[in-house]
Amino acid sequence: MEGSMNTLIHETLLLLKEAKHQHADKLIYSCSLSPQGMVLIDLICQHNLAIRIVTLDTGRLPKATYDVMDAICERYGKVIDICFPNAEEVEVMVKEDGINGFYRSVENRKRCCAIRKIHPLQKVLKDQEAWITGRRKDESKSRSGIQAIEDDPVYGLKKYNPMRNWTEKDVWAYIREHELPYNALHDEFYVSIGCDCCTRAISVGEDPRSGRWWWENKDTLVECGLHVSSLKGRENKSIDDD
Ligand code: SF4
């Protein structure tokens, strides 16, 4: 177990260093503050990799997520840039669709995810060459084929996936061993955590991402739009955070 953990850490650091070497300051880690995000932040900070870390505050996150941001700041210093949606866009949407309009239609939900997540991410990724994600193969069927380095046609960047071979068990073993901060909702059967209003706890055996947008038809519940594989339907595909 210890050997395989060391191998995972070694592989992850190699890919992070490769990304930094190739793209220098045109590289960003977009962190969703997931458990694997805690591991990546720890590795980046402990090894002084000088990779910019960004997270999106949609304005609708659970208190526990803000507590994690604070805990990271306490432990590592101000290492995360927090990005926000455009206030004007949010105001117009809320006026037209209502404060919880995303429950009323898939179209409304996609509009909300676009304004609160995709547009801020587009702004963050503008002028970059590459970005790092915390996605793992074992998170869902749609993520099982993740490669180490991919072309991201949506943003026209290289996409690095250093956590792809970690399992959920590996991630939690690292978190426990290093006593890392993590989102307290994970202790309440929340697996994939996004906005407070669009995330719920799941039951044993359910797909880890089934706690997101649970009121919609399952066919639309693939990704949040931050990680889509085609330019087609860029704004309309079912919308990670990592
Ligand atoms: S997850 Fe829900 S609240 Fe958050 S941006 Fe998407 S629709 Fe809006």
Side-chain angles (χ1 to χ4, degrees), residues 16 20 24-34 36-57 68-69 72-73 75-84 120-121 124-125 128 130-134 162 241-242:
L16 289 171
K20 183 69 182 172
D25 293 333
K26 299 270 186 187
L27 172 72
I28 275 185
Y29 168 36
S30 170
C31 181
S32 66
L33 307 176
S34 62
Q36 57 266 29
M38 300 301 107
V39 176
L40 268 177
I41 289 172
D42 191 64
L43 290 174
I44 288 169
C45 294
Q46 294 301 334
H47 294 268
N48 299 313
L49 299 184
I51 293 171
R52 187 179 167 212
I53 305 169
V54 170
T55 196
L56 306 177
D57 179 355
V68 173
M69 290 184 200
I72 290 166
C73 192
R75 182 167 175 139
Y76 305 102
K78 293 173 187 165
V79 296
I80 300 186
D81 289 341
I82 304 172
C83 300
F84 302 90
L121 182 69
V124 163
L125 295 181
Q128 302 299 317
W131 63 314
I132 293 165
T133 86
D241 163 302
D242 76 318

Side-chain angles (χ1 to χ4, degrees), residues 194-206:
C195 294
D196 188 47
C197 41
C198 298
T199 304
R200 68 170 181 177
I202 64 167
S203 307
V204 175
E206 277 191 281

Side-chain angles (χ1 to χ4, degrees), residues 103-158:
Y103 289 135
R104 295 198 185 93
S105 71
V106 174
E107 191 186 20
N108 282 4
R109 196 269 289 169
K110 286 178 178 172
R111 181 186 188 192
C112 187
C113 282
I115 289 171
R116 293 185 186 274
K117 298 200 279 194
I118 298 174
H119 295 176
L121 182 69
Q122 285 170 340
K123 201 170 157 193
V124 163
L125 295 181
K126 192 170 172 283
D127 300 325
Q128 302 299 317
E129 291 178 1
W131 63 314
I132 293 165
T133 86
R135 297 181 305 153
R136 304 192 326 262
K137 289 179 182 173
D138 72 339
E139 285 178 292
S140 67
K141 281 183 194 146
S142 66
R143 296 188 174 189
S144 60
I146 295 173
Q147 303 294 309
I149 307 172
E150 299 174 330
D151 286 318
D152 186 334
V154 173
Y155 299 105
L157 306 174
K158 289 286 180 200

Side-chain angles (χ1 to χ4, degrees), residues 10 17 44 54 67 72 79 97-98 151 158 165 170 178 181 185 191 198 202 240:
H10 181 68
K17 287 175 183 171
I44 288 169
V54 170
D67 289 344
I72 290 166
V79 296
D97 298 346
D151 286 318
K158 289 286 180 200
N165 292 328
D170 297 326
H178 297 272
L185 288 174
V191 178
C198 298
I202 64 167
D240 150 13

